[in-house]
Amino acid sequence: LRQSRKLAVGGPLPSRTRLYSSALVTHAAIAFLSLAVMKEMGMRLFWPYSLTIWHAGVGLLALGAGLSLLLKRFQIDNPLGKERAKAIAPRTPAEHALFYVICLSAGFAEELVYRGVLFTLLTALIGGWWIPALLASIVFGIVHLFQGWKSASIAGLMGLREHLVVGITGTLFIPMVVHFLHDAITGSVIAYRVRAAQQAA
């Protein structure tokens, strides 16, 4: 929230190097804390798993639903979010490589935190399934406020999507892959659009 307020004042956005470095440090920190909580509380989230065609289909359906937002007719008119998304999109080959590493770390760390540890703790405290899933998704949306409120709301919906995938498949592995692919494909498409617009200009 503090970051969002600071950016709302105006001024230049941080460089991509700083954004990427910050993301990697953040993912490493929340993954470490989550693993520490799991160990302290005897929480087991990674069970033996074998991929099935049904689960693969669920993952592909969830991925397709999320990527549909890239289609022009489904895009939300959000100049702030678009501008910040462009700022994140990689430009050089080195930035692309680092960006995909960030997508991988986000898929692991954020699913572990929000769909794993936080959801498990909220379920233990509140009970049920929907309220913990909604609360965890709201928090997930808030941490994406860098891209603006509308984009953060979409991130919250994507978080709820991942909760549904976990509920259907019974594993964190499928949503981790979906999360990684969603971020990697979205970032690649935005980077392509930015490059095409620059060439046209």
Side-chain angles (χ1 to χ4, degrees):
L1 288 170
R2 185 173 68 237
Q3 182 189 56
S4 179
R5 286 196 297 267
K6 184 177 179 180
L7 290 171
V9 175
L13 293 172
S15 66
R16 274 185 297 283
T17 301
R18 183 176 176 185
L19 289 172
Y20 291 175
S21 300
S22 175
L24 285 173
V25 170
T26 300
H27 293 159
I30 62 176
F32 175 79
L33 289 172
S34 295
L35 293 171
V37 170
M38 289 171 61
K39 182 178 180 181
E40 177 68 21
M41 303 192 69
M43 188 186 298
R44 187 176 179 185
L45 297 176
F46 298 109
W47 298 88
Y49 175 74
S50 296
L51 179 65
T52 66
I53 295 177
W54 163 242
H55 288 177
V58 169
L60 288 172
L61 183 63
L63 179 63
L67 292 179
S68 68
L69 295 174
L70 288 172
L71 299 175
K72 191 168 184 179
R73 66 176 180 272
F74 293 124
Q75 287 181 6
I76 295 176
D77 185 15
N78 180 12
L80 176 62
K82 288 181 179 179
E83 194 62 32
R84 293 181 182 177
K86 290 178 183 178
I88 298 171
R91 304 288 198 278
T92 67
E95 286 181 353
H96 273 85
L98 184 55
F99 178 78
Y100 295 133
V101 171
I102 293 170
C103 293
L104 191 61
S105 66
F108 174 77
E110 293 182 358
E111 293 304 313
L112 177 63
V113 173
Y114 300 104
R115 260 62 71 186
V117 173
L118 179 58
F119 174 75
T120 301
L121 293 175
L122 290 173
T123 301
L125 290 170
I126 301 172
W129 188 89
W130 280 104
I131 293 179
L134 285 171
L135 290 175
S137 298
I138 289 171
V139 175
F140 182 67
I142 289 173
V143 300
H144 288 80
L145 274 176
F146 168 82
Q147 299 176 30
W149 278 102
K150 289 185 178 179
S151 295
S153 299
I154 292 174
L157 289 175
M158 294 300 99
L160 189 58
R161 173 195 66 177
E162 314 297 20
H163 280 290
L164 292 172
V165 173
V166 174
I168 293 171
T169 63
T171 180
L172 286 173
F173 294 125
I174 298 295
M176 283 179 174
V177 173
V178 170
H179 191 144
F180 162 71
L181 291 174
H182 179 104
D183 288 356
I185 294 172
T186 299
S188 298
V189 170
I190 293 174
Y192 169 79
R193 289 175 177 173
V194 169
R195 186 167 61 251
Q198 289 176 339
Q199 290 174 348

